[in-house]
Amino acid sequence: MRGLPRVVIIGGGFGGLWAARALRDVPARVTVIDRTNHHLFQPLLYQVALAGLAPSDITIPIRWALRRDPHVEVVLGEVTRIDAVAKSVEVDGPLRIPYDYLIVAAGARHAYFGRDEWERYAPGLKSIDDALEIRRRFLLAFERAERADDPAERDALSTVVIVGGGPTGVELAGLASEIARKALPRDFRRVDTRRSRILLVEAGPRLLPTFPERLGERARRDLADMGVEVRTGAPVTGVDDTGATVGGEFIRSRTVFWAAGNAASPLGRDLGAPLDRAGRVIVNPDLSVPGHLEVFVVGDAALMTGPDGAPLPGVAQVAMQGGTHAAHNIGRLIRFGPTLPFRYHNLGDMATIGRNRAVANLPVGTFTGWIAWMMWLGIHLVKLIGFRNRATVLIQWAYAYVTFQRGVRLITAHDRSEARVAPRAAG
């Protein structure tokens, strides 16, 4: 093993994990580095955020996922710097890990378009910690509304503003409405959660801009039927601890969630390669980095384009296919063969809106309503890693469908913003 080339993979998400698996038959030592010890099934993260699933339902230990690959080691730590000249990465400062080949699959974080101070008041959704923070704020708002004496304050606590009309925003808005109107009413005595105000705001002209326009309009109608206020062409120009300014109107809300943009991992800057406005590395057709052909960038950290030259979306399928392709190209380089350009195979886009409501744009056609919802359920169950996770999620979904209840309504996360909502004085 010592004489074999070393491949370092930064990130244990979809891109990194699929790259490690694709290197299974390549004569190389593989090191996977991640700041957490788990792989996250991000498409279902919004259900953790709104009390539908537990964190353990959509995560698996990275070491467990790669346990059958003896040539793969896993390092728990955060990569702080890439030295592309010395061909090494720094982990948590003092540890330096050399590489012969590098795959950067470090993902992205939510972007606030130059207003990073908004994150304190409007958390995004990229990690388990983010999901627990959103769940804490969402549930705690109703607890505080229950004991609020001022009607205006009670209304502000019962108002949820979700910024961003992509799949994450649509799914958050639909589930928030279902929980407020179906799961919570019998739990409270002084506040009627069915009267909660759920707003989904989008700066662009329509919802789900990467979907066909017909599906975006169907999502709007479904959300409206569920009691969600949808506002398009309404950019957010301000967020603070009292609410958000949307399209020039100030909306009082103690609960604002952000699903409006992404910023790539800053590690891409260390590579000396050209970046786009979101900080993504503009990669070569084979996913390598200009000037460093032994380095590959995949997933949300890379600007990858399709056959028409348009940027590929930041979805799991792009990351998985990109990670697999980068690994195969490294295998070709180790065997002194030429690399091949990346070709993305679009398997379709799906978004669930609520009970029996979803939209799907698949290669075989477009679907809406109950059929799309059942397809969404089946595909996500199949894609989950691990039998235990599949069984647990299926049971949770069946329970929620029959009873309208959500079984993980726990306020456990640490408060990141103690000043966000001041508790009412005792007495």
Side-chain angles (χ1 to χ4, degrees):
M1 292 290 289
R2 290 185 179 180
L4 297 178
R6 187 171 197 174
V7 181
V8 171
I9 301 172
I10 301 176
F14 286 111
L17 186 59
W18 260 250
R21 287 175 161 182
L23 289 166
R24 188 167 288 165
D25 298 323
V26 174
R29 294 178 296 158
V30 181
T31 301
V32 179
I33 309 171
D34 198 284
R35 69 178 70 183
T36 69
N37 75 330
H38 57 267
H39 168 78
L40 170 64
F41 190 77
Q42 204 163 32
L44 293 181
L45 186 58
Y46 81 99
Q47 296 206 9
V48 175
L50 293 182
L53 297 173
S56 59
D57 295 339
I58 63 169
T59 55
I60 58 166
I62 297 174
R63 294 183 184 276
W64 180 86
L66 300 173
R67 68 194 184 282
R68 295 174 181 168
D69 302 322
H71 68 296
V72 178
E73 66 171 348
V74 178
V75 174
L76 177 63
E78 182 170 2
V79 175
T80 54
R81 181 172 176 266
I82 300 172
D83 189 336
V85 176
K87 298 175 69 172
S88 68
V89 298
E90 295 181 4
V91 182
D92 293 329
L95 177 62
R96 295 177 68 91
I97 299 178
Y99 65 82
D100 296 293
Y101 300 95
L102 176 67
I103 297 177
V104 180
R109 289 289 291 169
H110 29 270
Y112 293 84
F113 311 110
R115 302 299 299 271
D116 291 345
E117 66 274 14
W118 291 355
E119 183 171 10
R120 178 184 180 187
Y121 310 111
L125 185 59
K126 289 293 184 182
S127 68
I128 288 293
D129 287 342
D130 295 336
L132 293 178
E133 174 66 7
I134 287 176
R135 186 179 74 183
R136 187 195 66 79
R137 295 191 185 197
F138 179 72
L139 296 176
L140 194 57
F142 292 108
E143 297 290 344
R144 291 175 172 170
E146 175 80 351
R147 65 183 192 182
D149 292 328
D150 181 6
E153 178 67 7
R154 184 178 296 174
D155 289 342
L157 289 165
S158 301
T159 299
V160 179
V161 178
I162 299 168
V163 183
T168 299
V170 167
E171 290 171 343
L172 278 172
L175 187 53
S177 178
E178 279 194 345
I179 291 176
R181 288 165 172 77
K182 300 293 185 180
L184 297 181
R186 289 184 295 178
D187 292 0
F188 293 89
R189 301 295 178 265
R190 300 184 61 205
V191 60
D192 185 357
T193 63
R194 292 169 297 184
R195 299 180 60 187
S196 300
R197 188 182 181 194
I198 313 294
L199 289 93
L200 176 62
V201 299
E202 164 60 36
R206 66 184 182 91
L207 299 182
L208 301 176
T210 60
F211 287 59
E213 186 172 354
R214 182 178 72 87
L215 297 186
E217 181 57 31
R218 175 60 182 263
R220 173 196 279 272
R221 294 200 307 269
D222 282 346
L223 288 170
D225 289 343
M226 297 170 64
V228 176
E229 297 180 38
V230 178
R231 298 192 184 184
T232 54
V236 173
T237 56
V239 182
D240 60 24
D241 61 348
T242 61
T245 302
V246 179
E249 177 190 355
F250 180 74
I251 298 173
R252 289 198 66 196
S253 172
R254 300 295 190 184
T255 314
V256 182
F257 301 140
W258 193 266
N262 294 315
S265 166
L267 290 175
R269 303 170 192 162
D270 295 343
L271 299 173
L275 309 175
D276 72 350
R277 290 188 298 176
R280 296 178 295 182
V281 177
I282 301 175
V283 295
N284 293 322
D286 65 353
L287 304 183
S288 65
V289 173
H292 295 283
L293 301 184
E294 76 284 354
V295 179
F296 296 81
V297 185
V298 301
D300 290 342
L303 176 63
M304 299 183 283
T305 57
D308 58 355
L312 296 177
V315 296
Q317 280 296 329
V318 173
M320 288 187 288
Q321 292 182 34
T324 300
H325 188 82
H328 288 165
N329 272 342
I330 289 175
R332 293 184 181 95
L333 290 173
I334 291 175
R335 297 182 176 100
F336 303 102
T339 61
L340 299 178
F342 175 61
R343 294 289 182 264
Y344 173 56
H345 302 287
N346 188 356
L347 302 180
D349 300 303
M350 308 182 78
T352 180
I353 300 160
R355 184 186 182 90
N356 299 328
R357 301 173 189 263
V359 293
N361 180 35
L362 304 178
V364 295
T366 59
F367 304 88
T368 61
W370 181 83
I371 293 177
W373 185 70
M374 290 298 295
M375 295 171 69
W376 183 93
L377 292 177
I379 289 174
H380 283 74
L381 274 178
V382 169
K383 293 296 183 181
L384 271 170
I385 300 177
F387 174 79
R388 187 200 69 84
N389 281 4
R390 296 189 192 105
T392 303
V393 169
L394 178 60
I395 291 171
Q396 291 282 6
W397 283 350
Y399 171 78
Y401 189 83
V402 172
T403 67
F404 290 95
Q405 296 300 305
R406 301 288 168 171
V408 200
R409 297 204 303 268
L410 306 177
I411 301 174
T412 58
H414 175 67
D415 191 346
R416 296 187 198 169
S417 177
E418 293 292 340
R420 174 133 175 98
V421 181
R424 208 181 93 189

